[in-house]
Each structure stands twice: as C-alpha cells, then as structure tokens.
Amino acid sequence: MKLSDGFDARRLRPRGPGNWRMRFAAILAALFAAVGVLLTMAGAASLLGRAPSLGALNDSTAAATTLLVLGLLLLWAGIAVWRMCRRRLRRPSDLSMAPHLMKKRD
C-alpha cells in the first residue's frame, strides 16, 4: 500500500475535549502539597520550641500538634490528588498501536 506524503492519520480521529481541567487540578493539588509541607514544618518547629514568628503557636502544644497533623493531612491529600491527575493526563485516549507493528520509515 502506498502512503502519500500529505496523509495525516490525526485528521481522521475526532478531537476530544481539552484536558485543561486535569492540569488545573494537578497544579492545585501540587499547591496544596506545598502548603502542607509548610504547615508541617511550622508545626514541627513550634513543637521543638524554635518558632519565634508563629505568634500564638508558641503558647500551646495543642495548637502546634493540630498544625502538624493538618499539614501532614494536606500534604498526603495533595500528593494523592496530584498523582491521580497525572495518571489521568498520561492515559492514552487515542487509538493505540504497538510500536513494533508500525511501518518503519527511513
């Protein structure tokens, strides 16, 4: 079978919806993970007694422990959602063919 140079198989496939929602969700999840890291570090610093700029967190260990747990939960949730979005973004939605079955071109 002769293939012409102007043939493009992508024109035959219908265009799917854009994946900007998943990209936005991945960015938001990465931001949540970063905030979780910062909250965890602030809570740990307050528990260790080295948090001069945290204000009222120096007074009680309960507030510092709450901040530490909240930061860990936010970090865990951010990483989980980010991984889910990245997995969905990388999932192929077009026709798939094994590379060894395609015609070799010089």
Side-chain angles (χ1 to χ4, degrees):
M1 179 167 91
K2 182 177 178 182
L3 293 176
S4 65
D5 288 333
F7 178 74
D8 186 16
R10 286 178 286 181
R11 288 184 299 158
L12 298 176
R13 297 184 189 128
R15 281 192 65 152
N19 55 2
W20 60 271
R21 288 184 191 116
M22 279 295 127
R23 288 184 186 180
F24 181 72
I27 291 171
L28 197 62
L31 186 66
F32 283 162
V35 169
V37 167
L38 292 176
L39 285 176
T40 302
M41 289 173 52
S46 181
L47 282 176
L48 294 175
R50 305 204 186 273
S53 63
L54 291 178
L57 287 178
N58 286 334
D59 297 337
S60 74
T61 58
T65 306
T66 303
L67 192 63
L68 180 70
V69 170
L70 181 68
L72 286 174
L73 286 175
L74 196 60
L75 174 65
W76 176 77
I79 290 174
V81 171
W82 181 75
R83 288 182 64 178
M84 181 189 66
C85 291
R86 292 290 294 170
R87 202 175 306 131
R88 251 191 216 170
L89 280 171
R90 293 184 181 271
R91 182 174 52 191
S93 60
D94 292 338
L95 298 174
S96 297
M97 185 179 282
H100 70 279
L101 295 176
M102 288 198 261
K103 186 171 182 166
K104 304 251 190 286
R105 293 191 183 206
D106 293 334

